[in-house]
């Protein structure tokens, strides 16, 4: 997982898989060594300064949306309830 994109957007927490020592883990390690390995890095000024500019907000629309969700795994799920059979 490449954390650089979410950091550049201002996210303060990026999930990392530290079980493998790949390039992204090394990038994460180097990012926090810059500030004396104290565990945090300040946001860049471009994300914190305003200089009279208003923060743009996305227009609100009430259009219905369709989401496609792919479930990768699940555990501790409740068992499905049995449907009552209606007699004729």
């Amino acid at each position: 997982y490449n954390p650089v994109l979410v950091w550049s957007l201002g996210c303060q927490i990026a999930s990392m898989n530290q079980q493998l020592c790949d390039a992204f883990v090394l990038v994460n390690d180097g990012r926090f060594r810059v500030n004396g390995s104290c565990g945090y890095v300040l946001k860049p000024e471009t994300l914190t300064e305003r200089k009279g500019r208003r923060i743009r907000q996305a227009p609100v629309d009430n259009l219905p949306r369709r989401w496609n969700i792919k479930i990768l795994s699940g555990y501790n799920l409740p068992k499905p309830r049995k449907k009552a059979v209606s007699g004729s």
Side-chain angles (χ1 to χ4, degrees):
Y1 172 74
N2 186 356
V4 175
L5 176 63
V6 295
W7 288 338
S8 64
L9 295 174
C11 291
Q12 296 178 358
I13 297 175
S15 175
M16 297 292 302
N17 180 4
Q18 304 238 342
Q19 295 174 347
L20 301 173
C21 187
D22 61 359
F24 300 129
V25 171
L26 296 175
V27 167
N28 183 61
D29 184 55
R31 171 94 170 146
F32 291 100
R33 284 183 188 245
V34 171
N35 203 11
S37 297
C38 66
Y40 71 92
V41 176
L42 296 176
K43 287 186 180 184
E45 289 183 22
T46 56
L47 292 175
T48 58
E49 67 184 18
R50 294 208 178 168
K51 291 188 179 179
R53 290 182 284 149
R54 293 184 63 189
I55 298 174
R56 289 188 332 165
Q57 294 180 350
V60 177
D61 57 357
N62 292 326
L63 299 175
R65 299 184 188 273
R66 173 175 276 182
W67 296 80
N68 293 322
I69 299 173
K70 183 177 182 180
I71 298 174
L72 301 177
S73 68
Y75 58 94
N76 291 333
L77 299 174
K79 293 182 179 181
R81 296 180 184 166
K82 293 182 180 181
K83 293 183 181 180
V85 179
S86 60
S88 50

